[in-house]
Amino acid sequence: AAGVIQSPRHLIKEKRETATLKCYPIPRHDTVYWYQQGPGQDPQFLISFYEKMQSDKGSIPDRFSAQQFSDYHSELNMSSLELGDSALYFCASSQIGLVGGEQYFGPGTRLTVT
Amino acid sequence: KQEVTQIPAALSVPEGENLVLNCSFTDSAIYNLQWFRQDPGKGLTSLLLIQSSQREQTSGRLNASLDKSSGRSTLYIAASQPGDSATYLCAEMGVDTDKLIFGTGTRLQVFP
C-alpha cells in the first residue's frame, strides 16, 4: 500500500540558510499535518492543511511557512535557520471522516543545521 | 494545556513476558487515541487507533484499551519478542483540533 512520501530524507544546512521540505500524502487523503521532533523529545505539532486551506496551527515559528497544493502535496519552508531547528520533521496525512481521522506518518526528514 | 504522560519511561524485560504500557491524558474531550511505535531515528508506525466511543482495539499480540473517565489508555503486548524493542508513543486528538498531542514515550527493550 502507498505510504506518505517525504523528501529529502536528510538535509544539512548552515545557519541563516533556507530549507524546503516536501510531503506527498497517501492517495485520496485530503489532510496533511507537519510535526517536529527534536532530539530525545516527543513530536510537536506545527501546522495542518485540509483541502489546501490551513486548518490548525501549533507552535510553528514565524520563520516557517507551509502550504498545500492542488495535488494535495505540501511544502514546509524554513528560513533563517537556527541550530535549534535541527530535528526530525514528520509529515502525516489522513482522510477526514474516514477511520476517525487516523494519521499516517511519513519516514521523516532529518534536518541538521550547522 | 493538554498533557499526555507515559509510564514507565523505560522498560527492560526478558523475551516471552506480557507487558502493559500506560498512557494518561488530561483532555476531557478526546476524539481518539493512537499508539505508535518508533525505532531509533526512524518514523512513526501506527499500531492501533481507538475512537472515543470504543473501549479497546486489538491487532495480533497488541491490545489497547481506553478509559475516558479516568483519562487512561493501556497498551498490552502479549508474549514479547526482541523485535518488539522500540519506543512506544501514545497520542491523543481532541474533538476541536486536528493535532495529535504525544506522550514522551516508553522505551522498551526485550532481551533474548
Side-chain angles (χ1 to χ4, degrees):
Chain A
V4 177
I5 297 171
Q6 291 187 246
S7 68
R9 295 293 307 277
H10 302 272
L11 192 57
I12 299 175
K13 291 286 185 178
E14 295 188 355
K15 280 171 52 178
R16 292 180 288 278
E17 285 191 323
T18 61
T20 298
L21 279 53
K22 296 185 179 182
C23 170
Y24 298 86
I26 292 171
R28 292 183 295 281
H29 280 195
D30 50 23
T31 306
V32 168
Y33 314 80
W34 287 97
Y35 293 83
Q36 176 193 58
Q37 186 178 31
Q41 299 180 358
D42 51 290
Q44 296 291 318
F45 173 77
L46 293 177
I47 196 166
S48 62
F49 292 88
Y50 167 63
E51 286 289 346
K52 292 148 279 184
M53 298 288 289
Q54 180 182 309
S55 55
D56 204 349
K57 192 173 180 181
S59 49
I60 182 169
D62 292 340
R63 300 177 289 108
F64 294 6
S65 65
Q67 58 182 319
Q68 186 180 31
F69 294 87
S70 57
D71 64 351
Y72 294 99
H73 95 271
S74 178
E75 295 184 3
L76 178 66
N77 298 293
M78 309 160 71
S79 63
S80 303
L81 287 169
E82 302 173 356
L83 295 178
D85 296 328
S86 296
L88 199 50
Y89 289 83
F90 289 110
C91 171
S93 74
S94 71
Q95 187 172 358
I96 292 293
L98 184 68
V99 201
E102 183 169 5
Q103 295 185 20
Y104 296 84
F105 281 72
T109 294
R110 181 170 296 283
L111 173 66
T112 302
V113 181
T114 61
Chain B
K1 182 186 173 191
Q2 307 298 351
E3 290 187 355
V4 180
T5 48
Q6 291 185 247
I7 53 171
L11 189 59
S12 183
V13 299
E15 182 176 8
E17 279 207 3
N18 300 323
L19 311 170
V20 175
L21 307 182
N22 296 291
C23 172
S24 298
F25 50 90
T26 59
D27 193 347
S28 59
I30 185 173
Y31 184 66
N32 65 39
L33 187 137
Q34 275 185 263
W35 281 93
F36 294 89
R37 168 188 172 135
Q38 185 174 31
D39 293 285
K42 302 292 185 182
L44 297 164
T45 301
S46 180
L47 299 173
L48 289 164
L49 177 140
I50 311 177
Q51 300 295 338
S52 61
S53 58
Q54 297 173 324
R55 295 294 300 272
E56 65 179 300
Q57 283 285 341
T58 299
S59 176
R61 294 183 294 108
L62 305 179
N63 175 278
S65 67
L66 177 64
D67 184 344
K68 286 193 302 181
S69 61
S70 65
R72 289 192 217 168
S73 176
T74 60
L75 179 66
Y76 176 82
I77 303 176
S80 58
Q81 303 170 358
D84 295 331
S85 299
T87 296
Y88 290 81
L89 294 154
C90 67
E92 68 97 0
M93 180 189 291
V95 295
D96 57 353
T97 181
D98 283 350
K99 64 184 178 186
L100 287 172
I101 299 175
F102 283 83
T104 46
T106 293
R107 194 168 59 254
L108 172 65
Q109 182 183 11
V110 181
F111 53 90

